[in-house]
Amino acid sequence: MDQQQLESKITETLERNRFGSFATVEGGRPKVRYMTVFNEGMTVYLVTSAKTHKVEELEANPNVALLLGFEQGGTQDEVQIEGTAKITRDEELRKKLWHDTFEQWLEGPDDPNYVVIEITPTRAEYAKSKHEVEVWEG
């Protein structure tokens, strides 16, 4: 599969699997947590509070990883993404991604602690139902 086809498969898998394991680096070690995943093409977005440890971790080290797709209820396609992340407070993006379920952590789309983690992939692995792994590099 060529890189354009592979990118399309990865994007489709991102769009159909809205939860993933997100890893940051804390003190030289990986730290993983489940997150709701949003995307526009290959760019991935995660919603969080500026008061969380993951924001501090990203400020110290922007290298991240994301794994999704094989969990129960998922598509059984697996995507592993490596990339760099930055914190954004882009107002338009925050309104676009806002969902009422976030109210358990944030006051609303205008909450000053509401931030978006924007991940720019540098490498991704795609596996269809755990078979042959294809590698995308950006």
Side-chain angles (χ1 to χ4, degrees), residues 9-64:
K9 288 289 184 188
I10 292 168
T11 299
E12 288 173 24
T13 303
L14 285 167
E15 290 168 359
R16 293 188 324 226
N17 295 275
R18 287 295 168 204
F19 299 98
S21 299
F22 174 61
T24 56
V25 179
E26 179 182 50
R29 296 177 182 217
K31 185 167 182 185
V32 183
R33 73 278 280 159
Y34 288 110
M35 301 281 297
T36 303
V37 177
F38 302 92
N39 73 297
E40 287 181 356
M42 291 290 288
T43 303
V44 177
Y45 301 105
L46 310 172
V47 170
T48 194
S49 169
K51 295 180 179 181
T52 61
H53 288 287
K54 66 182 95 50
V55 171
E56 294 172 14
E57 293 156 10
L58 292 172
E59 289 170 349
N61 186 335
N63 294 301
V64 298

Side-chain angles (χ1 to χ4, degrees), residues 4-137:
Q4 186 174 359
Q5 290 173 315
L6 181 55
E7 187 171 316
S8 179
K9 288 289 184 188
I10 292 168
T11 299
E12 288 173 24
T13 303
L14 285 167
E15 290 168 359
R16 293 188 324 226
N17 295 275
R18 287 295 168 204
F19 299 98
S21 299
F22 174 61
T24 56
V25 179
E26 179 182 50
R29 296 177 182 217
K31 185 167 182 185
V32 183
R33 73 278 280 159
Y34 288 110
M35 301 281 297
T36 303
V37 177
F38 302 92
N39 73 297
E40 287 181 356
M42 291 290 288
T43 303
V44 177
Y45 301 105
L46 310 172
V47 170
T48 194
S49 169
K51 295 180 179 181
T52 61
H53 288 287
K54 66 182 95 50
V55 171
E56 294 172 14
E57 293 156 10
L58 292 172
E59 289 170 349
N61 186 335
N63 294 301
V64 298
L66 180 69
L67 172 65
L68 57 77
F70 201 71
E71 69 276 356
Q72 183 176 359
T75 63
Q76 306 301 301
D77 296 359
E78 184 179 291
V79 170
Q80 296 181 54
I81 292 175
E82 297 172 10
T84 56
K86 68 178 183 178
I87 303 299
T88 180
R89 287 182 163 82
D90 180 274
E91 198 170 317
E92 185 177 318
L93 184 59
R94 292 181 341 151
K95 286 185 178 15
K96 180 179 179 178
L97 298 179
W98 179 259
H99 191 275
D100 291 342
T101 58
F102 301 150
E103 288 177 349
Q104 56 189 312
W105 302 285
L106 300 159
E107 293 179 13
D110 297 318
D111 184 331
N113 290 310
Y114 173 23
V115 296
V116 176
I117 299 168
E118 180 179 329
I119 301 170
T120 302
T122 54
R123 183 177 191 281
E125 292 183 5
Y126 170 81
K128 176 78 174 164
S129 302
K130 285 287 192 188
H131 296 291
E132 185 177 330
V133 174
E134 302 270 351
V135 177
W136 174 93
E137 294 188 288

